[in-house]
Amino acid sequence: MAAPAITKPQTAPAVQSLTLGKALNLGLRAAMESDPKVIVMGEDVGKLGGVFRITDGLQKDFGEHRVLDTPLAESGIIGTAVGLAVRGFRPVCEIQFDGFVFPGFDQIVSQVAKLHARTQGRVKVPMVIRIPFGGGIGAVEHHSESPESYFAHTAGLKVVTCSNAVDAYWMIQQAIRCDDPVLFFEPKRYYHSAAMKAEIDTAATPDPLFASRVVRTGTTATLVAYGPSVKVALDAATAAEEDGHALEVIDLRTLSPLDLGPVFESVRRTGRLVVVSESPSESSIGSEIAARVQQECFYSLEAPVLRVHGFDVPYPPAKLEEHFLPDLDRVLDAVDRALAW
């Protein structure tokens, strides 16, 4: 049976103002247009366009043979994608919500992460696993998790997260082109936020995928964040100006491998570091950052590295999540404590 014809949209303008969600949609579309081996698969990604509409219109334009609606079985989704990847395809799996990734956890850590090493480099697994993560949407249990530390701990996986529309557009394409398996975490609360819209030049040269970036310069203290916490850190830096403080903000972007060079350089200038993340603090990425900054910048530190995280409890009911998530007041309090040391 012949594959259905592909109806390609008209060429998009070079510069567009996009939400984070629309930027991901156009990034996926660009990747699919440039490489016929790119396949999108997941629960309701086709006719529905994904629960967050990130894959909206892709099945209509590229056909059911490239945008596959799968059964509700994350282990099956990941396992099927592994087979496709080793046969030369570049599957992009959507995990509908962060807490749904755990049924596929065994496939990810036992197969996806290890096939390249197990075959002594003869087999590559070029696949992307997209995971909407974090809180702030008033969802029920299993819909507002931060599981990134599990995967950053697993050798053989790359883990990245975007915090803005520009990075969303470019990073998803770079992740798809990567020959290693990539866990791609997306801050779901900002998918369709008008406040997060940004001008995207589709003809620009993007930053490297596995690199952190200084998004606001400062001299008083350093704030390090990733994903949805970057906006919180930037808001804190703006508020701190009223007290005469210039906070430097670094967006990690890559969680494995960690790119801490810009963090070390910043801390050596400011002498203080506050790490912001929605994940629980125990055995977290924030713990690793604190340990490595203490090791590399010991003689530059004027205060202990402080961390502002979600609490070490299961994610609370929606009516309590505002007390769980790091917010402006908690970040500014940590800055004040660092400065008072």
Side-chain angles (χ1 to χ4, degrees):
M1 181 177 178
I6 295 174
T7 302
K8 289 189 177 182
Q10 295 181 348
T11 302
V15 179
Q16 302 177 72
S17 180
L18 302 174
T19 62
L20 192 151
K22 186 61 177 178
L24 283 168
N25 178 272
L26 291 188
L28 286 166
R29 180 178 295 276
M32 296 185 74
E33 288 176 346
S34 64
D35 187 349
K37 294 293 188 179
V38 176
I39 295 175
V40 173
M41 55 194 299
E43 300 163 8
D44 299 319
V45 299
K47 292 181 180 179
L48 181 65
V51 68
F52 293 106
R53 304 301 187 266
I54 303 305
T55 56
D56 187 42
L58 296 184
Q59 189 181 77
K60 174 180 176 292
D61 290 335
F62 294 97
E64 294 183 5
H65 64 300
R66 292 191 64 193
V67 183
L68 288 71
D69 282 316
T70 68
L72 305 182
E74 285 74 19
S75 182
I77 295 170
I78 302 302
T80 301
V82 171
L84 287 165
V86 300
R87 294 293 292 177
F89 290 89
R90 291 184 178 269
V92 181
C93 305
E94 177 180 296
I95 302 299
Q96 202 168 68
F97 282 91
D98 34 37
F100 298 177
V101 73
F102 299 114
F105 189 84
D106 179 41
Q107 289 280 9
I108 296 171
V109 301
S110 299
Q111 306 300 330
V112 176
K114 293 180 170 58
L115 269 173
H116 186 69
R118 184 185 301 149
T119 61
Q120 297 183 331
R122 290 189 294 271
V123 173
K124 295 180 179 179
V125 190
M127 58 183 286
V128 174
I129 303 172
R130 293 182 42 243
I131 305 177
F133 83 125
I137 64 170
V140 296
E141 189 179 24
H142 305 308
H143 290 67
S144 299
E145 305 291 331
S146 295
E148 59 272 16
S149 294
Y150 292 113
F151 301 108
H153 178 75
T154 303
L157 299 176
K158 299 292 194 295
V159 183
V160 299
T161 177
C162 57
S163 68
N164 58 78
V166 175
D167 275 352
Y169 176 77
W170 290 113
M171 289 174 70
I172 190 63
Q173 297 180 67
Q174 293 168 315
I176 292 170
R177 288 196 297 268
C178 181
D179 285 335
D180 294 317
V182 178
L183 276 291
F184 195 95
F185 284 91
E186 305 164 4
K188 69 170 89 76
R189 76 162 95 169
Y190 295 129
Y191 272 147
H192 305 296
S193 169
M196 299 296 286
K197 291 183 74 171
E199 295 288 331
I200 297 176
D201 182 358
T202 59
T205 300
D207 289 339
L209 179 60
F210 303 113
S212 56
R213 182 173 63 231
V214 176
V215 293
R216 180 178 178 131
T217 59
T219 57
T220 305
T222 303
L223 300 182
V224 169
Y226 60 87
S229 298
V230 174
K231 185 179 186 302
V232 178
L234 287 170
D235 290 345
T238 299
E241 285 184 321
E242 297 180 6
D243 295 324
H245 302 316
L247 304 182
E248 183 148 294
V249 180
I250 298 176
D251 181 353
L252 281 180
R253 300 175 76 249
T254 175
L255 308 181
S256 181
L258 278 169
D259 176 30
L260 294 184
V263 178
F264 298 153
E265 180 181 349
S266 178
V267 171
R268 290 185 182 115
R269 288 188 288 101
T270 67
R272 294 171 173 84
L273 173 63
V274 176
V275 183
V276 186
S277 170
E278 290 187 12
S279 72
S281 62
E282 187 78 14
S283 303
S284 64
I285 290 168
S287 304
E288 177 68 16
I289 295 168
R292 289 174 62 177
V293 167
Q294 187 273 343
Q295 178 179 313
E296 297 292 331
C297 306
F298 181 80
Y299 292 107
S300 300
L301 286 169
E302 301 290 341
V305 176
L306 300 180
R307 293 180 292 150
V308 181
H309 280 259
F311 299 110
D312 293 318
V313 298
Y315 197 88
K319 63 182 179 181
L320 296 175
E321 69 176 356
E322 65 181 85
H323 303 290
F324 174 89
L325 297 171
D327 60 10
L328 183 67
D329 289 339
R330 287 177 60 194
V331 175
L332 290 177
D333 175 70
V335 170
D336 288 342
R337 285 187 285 122
L339 293 174
W341 191 265

Coordinates of all heavy atoms in Angstrom, one line a residue, residues 158-160 207-214 224-226 250-266 285 288-289 292-293:
K158 N 21.6 11.5 27.3 CA 21.7 12.9 27.3 C 20.4 13.5 27.9 O 19.3 13.0 27.5 CB 22.0 13.4 25.9 CG 23.3 12.9 25.3 CD 24.5 13.5 26.1 CE 25.8 13.3 25.3 NZ 26.2 11.9 25.1
V159 N 20.5 14.5 28.7 CA 19.3 15.1 29.3 C 19.4 16.6 29.1 O 20.3 17.3 29.5 CB 19.2 14.8 30.8 CG1 17.9 15.3 31.3 CG2 19.2 13.3 31.0
V160 N 18.4 17.2 28.4 CA 18.3 18.6 28.2 C 17.0 19.2 28.5 O 16.0 18.4 28.6 CB 18.7 19.0 26.8 CG1 20.1 18.5 26.4 CG2 17.7 18.4 25.8
D207 N 22.7 28.3 19.6 CA 23.7 27.9 20.5 C 23.9 26.4 20.5 O 23.0 25.7 20.1 CB 23.4 28.3 22.0 CG 23.5 29.8 22.2 OD1 24.2 30.5 21.4 OD2 22.8 30.3 23.1
P208 N 25.1 25.9 20.9 CA 25.2 24.4 20.9 C 24.2 23.8 21.9 O 23.8 24.4 22.8 CB 26.7 24.2 21.5 CG 27.3 25.5 21.1 CD 26.3 26.6 21.2
L209 N 23.9 22.5 21.6 CA 22.8 21.9 22.4 C 23.3 21.6 23.9 O 22.6 21.9 24.8 CB 22.5 20.5 21.8 CG 21.4 19.7 22.5 CD1 20.1 20.4 22.7 CD2 21.2 18.3 21.8
F210 N 24.5 21.1 24.1 CA 24.9 20.8 25.4 C 25.8 21.9 26.0 O 26.9 21.7 26.3 CB 25.7 19.4 25.3 CG 24.9 18.3 24.7 CD1 25.2 17.8 23.5 CD2 23.7 17.9 25.4 CE1 24.5 16.7 23.0 CE2 23.0 16.8 24.8 CZ 23.3 16.3 23.6
A211 N 25.2 23.0 26.2 CA 25.9 24.2 26.7 C 24.9 25.0 27.5 O 23.8 25.3 27.1 CB 26.5 25.0 25.6
S212 N 25.4 25.5 28.7 CA 24.6 26.4 29.5 C 24.9 27.8 29.0 O 25.7 28.1 28.2 CB 25.0 26.3 31.0 OG 26.4 26.5 31.2
R213 N 24.1 28.8 29.5 CA 24.2 30.1 29.0 C 23.8 31.1 30.1 O 22.9 31.0 30.8 CB 23.2 30.3 27.8 CG 23.3 31.7 27.2 CD 22.4 31.8 25.9 NE 21.0 31.5 26.2 CZ 20.3 30.7 25.5 NH1 20.8 29.9 24.6 NH2 19.0 30.5 25.8
V214 N 24.6 32.2 30.1 CA 24.3 33.3 31.0 C 23.2 34.1 30.3 O 23.3 34.6 29.2 CB 25.5 34.2 31.2 CG1 25.1 35.4 32.1 CG2 26.6 33.4 31.9
V224 N 21.4 29.9 39.5 CA 21.5 28.9 38.5 C 20.1 28.2 38.5 O 19.6 27.8 39.6 CB 22.6 27.9 38.7 CG1 22.5 26.7 37.8 CG2 24.0 28.5 38.5
A225 N 19.5 28.0 37.3 CA 18.2 27.4 37.2 C 18.1 26.7 35.9 O 19.0 26.8 35.0 CB 17.1 28.4 37.4
Y226 N 17.0 25.9 35.7 CA 16.8 25.3 34.4 C 15.3 25.1 34.3 O 14.5 25.1 35.2 CB 17.5 23.9 34.3 CG 17.2 22.9 35.3 CD1 16.1 22.0 35.2 CD2 17.9 22.8 36.5 CE1 15.8 21.1 36.1 CE2 17.6 21.8 37.5 CZ 16.6 21.0 37.3 OH 16.2 20.0 38.2
I250 N 22.0 32.1 35.3 CA 22.5 31.1 34.3 C 21.4 30.1 34.1 O 20.9 29.5 35.0 CB 23.8 30.5 34.8 CG1 24.9 31.6 34.9 CG2 24.3 29.4 33.8 CD1 26.2 31.0 35.5
D251 N 21.1 29.9 32.8 CA 20.2 28.8 32.4 C 21.0 27.6 32.0 O 21.8 27.6 31.1 CB 19.4 29.3 31.2 CG 18.4 28.2 30.7 OD1 18.4 27.1 31.2 OD2 17.6 28.6 29.8
L252 N 20.9 26.5 32.8 CA 21.7 25.3 32.6 C 21.5 24.7 31.2 O 22.5 24.3 30.5 CB 21.5 24.2 33.6 CG 22.1 24.4 35.0 CD1 21.7 23.3 35.9 CD2 23.6 24.5 34.8
R253 N 20.3 24.6 30.7 CA 19.9 24.0 29.5 C 20.2 22.5 29.3 O 19.5 21.7 28.9 CB 20.5 24.8 28.3 CG 20.1 26.3 28.3 CD 20.9 27.0 27.2 NE 20.4 26.8 25.8 CZ 21.1 26.2 24.9 NH1 22.3 25.7 25.2 NH2 20.6 26.0 23.7
T254 N 21.4 22.1 29.7 CA 21.8 20.7 29.6 C 22.1 20.2 31.1 O 22.8 20.8 31.8 CB 23.1 20.5 28.8 OG1 23.5 19.2 28.8 CG2 24.2 21.4 29.2
L255 N 21.5 19.1 31.4 CA 21.6 18.5 32.7 C 22.5 17.3 32.7 O 23.0 16.9 33.7 CB 20.2 18.1 33.2 CG 19.1 19.2 33.2 CD1 17.8 18.7 33.7 CD2 19.6 20.4 33.9
S256 N 22.7 16.6 31.6 CA 23.7 15.6 31.4 C 24.0 15.5 29.9 O 23.2 15.2 29.1 CB 23.1 14.2 31.8 OG 24.0 13.2 31.7
P257 N 25.3 15.9 29.6 CA 26.3 16.4 30.5 C 26.1 17.8 31.1 O 25.5 18.6 30.4 CB 27.6 16.4 29.6 CG 27.0 16.7 28.3 CD 25.7 16.0 28.2
L258 N 26.4 18.0 32.3 CA 26.4 19.3 32.9 C 27.5 20.2 32.3 O 28.6 19.8 32.2 CB 26.5 19.3 34.4 CG 25.3 19.0 35.2 CD1 25.7 18.7 36.7 CD2 24.2 20.1 35.2
D259 N 27.1 21.4 31.9 CA 28.1 22.4 31.5 C 28.3 23.5 32.5 O 27.5 24.5 32.5 CB 27.7 23.0 30.1 CG 28.6 24.1 29.7 OD1 29.8 24.0 30.0 OD2 28.2 25.1 29.0
L260 N 29.2 23.2 33.5 CA 29.3 24.1 34.6 C 30.4 25.2 34.5 O 30.7 25.9 35.4 CB 29.6 23.3 35.9 CG 28.4 22.4 36.3 CD1 28.7 21.7 37.6 CD2 27.1 23.2 36.4
G261 N 31.1 25.2 33.3 CA 32.1 26.2 33.1 C 31.6 27.6 33.4 O 32.3 28.4 34.1
P262 N 30.5 28.0 32.7 CA 30.0 29.4 33.0 C 29.6 29.6 34.4 O 29.7 30.7 35.0 CB 28.8 29.4 32.1 CG 29.1 28.5 31.0 CD 29.8 27.3 31.6
V263 N 29.2 28.5 35.1 CA 28.8 28.6 36.5 C 30.1 28.9 37.4 O 30.1 29.8 38.2 CB 28.1 27.4 37.0 CG1 27.7 27.5 38.5 CG2 26.8 27.1 36.2
F264 N 31.1 28.1 37.1 CA 32.4 28.3 37.9 C 32.9 29.8 37.7 O 33.3 30.4 38.6 CB 33.4 27.3 37.4 CG 33.1 25.9 37.7 CD1 33.6 24.9 36.9 CD2 32.2 25.5 38.7 CE1 33.3 23.6 37.1 CE2 31.9 24.2 39.0 CZ 32.4 23.2 38.1
E265 N 32.9 30.2 36.4 CA 33.4 31.5 36.1 C 32.6 32.6 36.8 O 33.1 33.6 37.4 CB 33.3 31.8 34.6 CG 33.8 33.1 34.2 CD 33.8 33.3 32.6 OE1 33.5 32.3 31.9 OE2 33.9 34.5 32.2
S266 N 31.3 32.4 36.8 CA 30.4 33.4 37.5 C 30.6 33.4 39.0 O 30.7 34.5 39.6 CB 28.9 33.1 37.2 OG 28.1 34.0 37.8
I285 N 19.9 17.2 41.0 CA 20.9 17.9 40.2 C 21.5 19.1 40.9 O 22.7 19.4 40.8 CB 20.2 18.3 38.9 CG1 20.0 17.1 38.0 CG2 21.1 19.3 38.1 CD1 19.1 17.4 36.8
E288 N 24.4 18.0 43.0 CA 25.6 17.8 42.2 C 26.2 19.2 41.9 O 27.5 19.3 42.0 CB 25.3 17.1 40.9 CG 26.4 16.9 39.9 CD 27.5 16.0 40.5 OE1 27.2 15.2 41.4 OE2 28.6 16.0 39.9
I289 N 25.4 20.2 41.5 CA 26.0 21.5 41.2 C 26.7 22.1 42.5 O 27.8 22.6 42.4 CB 24.9 22.4 40.7 CG1 24.3 21.9 39.4 CG2 25.4 23.9 40.6 CD1 23.0 22.6 39.0
R292 N 30.0 20.3 43.1 CA 31.1 20.6 42.2 C 31.5 22.1 42.2 O 32.7 22.4 42.0 CB 30.6 20.2 40.8 CG 30.6 18.7 40.6 CD 30.0 18.3 39.3 NE 30.7 18.7 38.1 CZ 30.4 18.4 36.9 NH1 29.4 17.6 36.7 NH2 31.2 18.8 35.9
V293 N 30.6 23.0 42.6 CA 31.0 24.4 42.8 C 31.9 24.5 44.0 O 32.9 25.2 44.0 CB 29.8 25.3 42.9 CG1 30.2 26.7 43.4 CG2 29.1 25.4 41.5

